Amino acid sequence: MKRPTIADIARSAGVSKVAVSYALNDQPGVSEQTRAKIKAIARDVGWRPSNAARALNGAKARAVGLAVCRPARTLSVEPFFMELISGIESELAPRSIALMLQTVTSHDDEVELYRRWWGEGRVDGALLVDLHDDDVRIPAFASMDLPVVALGPPEAAGAVPAVWSDDGASIHETVAYLAALGHRHIARVAGLPKLAHTSVRDAAFEAGCRAAGLPEPVVVHTDYSGDEGARATRGLLIAAERPSAIVYDNDIMAVAGLSVAQELNLDVPRDLSLVAWDDSPFTQVVRPQLTALTRDIADYGASAARMLLAAVDEEPVQDSQVAAARLVPRASTSAPRRA
């Protein structure tokens, strides 16, 4: 079915397109009787204003952008992104504001995408995820004058307002818990080393082990995939000095690590304790259920969306800290067999 246009309404009303424009935009130039007639016809035919045309008139696009610099398959396998998007939508949908989501292959492509969306009036603002140390996107956004809110450490966001949680505190809690159980050799299967939150976790993990009097920890960086998580786990478990506990930077890798431990006939948790970050249905349907770091990811997304909408409305915004992930012990952790 063809989308109704101003020309269609003008034909039905027997007036000019200019008169229709005046009526639909509540401008003077037509009588109240004609205005009411035109609006009634517009409702009957299902006419809606074009966002592109509204943008040309300086109206808001009523959309925000979210570009993710990861393979598209990441969105289908990582519960984190789906929960994050659900939180963002919980703020946007009630206000009839759209979320424009696209995956990109590089930060240069991401900046160019936002530049095009902003230049064409297709978005009113943007959400920035997966902050990097010395992130090249920060100065690029400053030059666009595009309202932006980052999700990640404020020190990496620069002048861009950020919504963040204290990942360092969560790591310290996890290491202290494992040390209290009697673990001396703790390893971590981490995410991408270039990400700012990975750097925060790396530093906190090393400091937490040092504070607990543990040996220098082993950290293996991966791409967050199950395959990489399994490969990293296998390497750790066949090493000369096997860790008695492993902390994973996401749930997918933790589940993959559990499979590897079972493949090697290791008892979880007596031979090997496992901790996952973030908590998700995946961590609770396996046996044993995985000890996990849990946080309200949907609230994280909602907080970022609220801040962005405030920035779009030219209200003052500043960095906002949400609750840190907290440890939920389950059956995958216990005192080591040789404690």
Side-chain angles (χ1 to χ4, degrees), residues 39 53 65 85 100 143 150 243 250-251 306:
K39 286 188 173 183
I85 290 169
M100 295 187 66
S143 68
N250 76 355
D251 49 350
R306 282 194 300 272

Side-chain angles (χ1 to χ4, degrees), residues 170 173-174 177 274-280 283-284 289-295 324-333:
S170 303
E173 179 187 9
T174 303
Y177 169 72
L274 303 179
V275 179
W277 185 333
D278 289 292
D279 197 7
S280 78
T283 65
Q284 299 177 51
Q289 291 189 340
L290 297 177
T291 294
L293 284 155
T294 188
R295 54 179 170 162
R326 57 185 176 80
L327 189 70
V328 178
R330 296 196 182 105
S332 69
T333 49

Side-chain angles (χ1 to χ4, degrees), residues 295-313:
R295 54 179 170 162
D296 193 339
I297 299 170
D299 180 64
Y300 190 34
S303 297
R306 282 194 300 272
M307 183 185 290
L308 179 59
L309 294 179
V312 167
D313 290 337

Side-chain angles (χ1 to χ4, degrees), residues 12-32:
S12 296
V15 298
S16 69
K17 289 190 289 185
V18 172
V20 173
S21 179
Y22 286 160
L24 295 177
N25 290 289
D26 292 319
Q27 294 177 346
V30 294
S31 69
E32 288 306 312

Side-chain angles (χ1 to χ4, degrees), residues 135-177:
D135 202 306
V136 298
R137 295 171 294 177
I138 301 300
F141 284 129
S143 68
M144 272 187 270
D145 197 31
L146 169 69
V148 179
V149 166
L151 291 89
E155 56 269 25
V160 173
V163 176
W164 65 289
S165 62
D166 190 347
D167 283 8
S170 303
I171 285 286
H172 276 284
E173 179 187 9
T174 303
V175 172
Y177 169 72

Side-chain angles (χ1 to χ4, degrees), residues 182 184 242-244 270-271 335-339:
R184 299 291 301 164
R242 190 177 74 209
S244 62
R270 296 299 290 166
D271 294 324
R337 192 184 295 275
R338 294 177 297 276

Side-chain angles (χ1 to χ4, degrees), residues 85-102:
I85 290 169
S86 74
I88 294 169
E89 279 290 285
S90 73
E91 291 294 323
L92 300 186
R95 307 185 199 193
S96 297
I97 296 174
L99 176 66
M100 295 187 66
L101 173 66
Q102 187 167 326

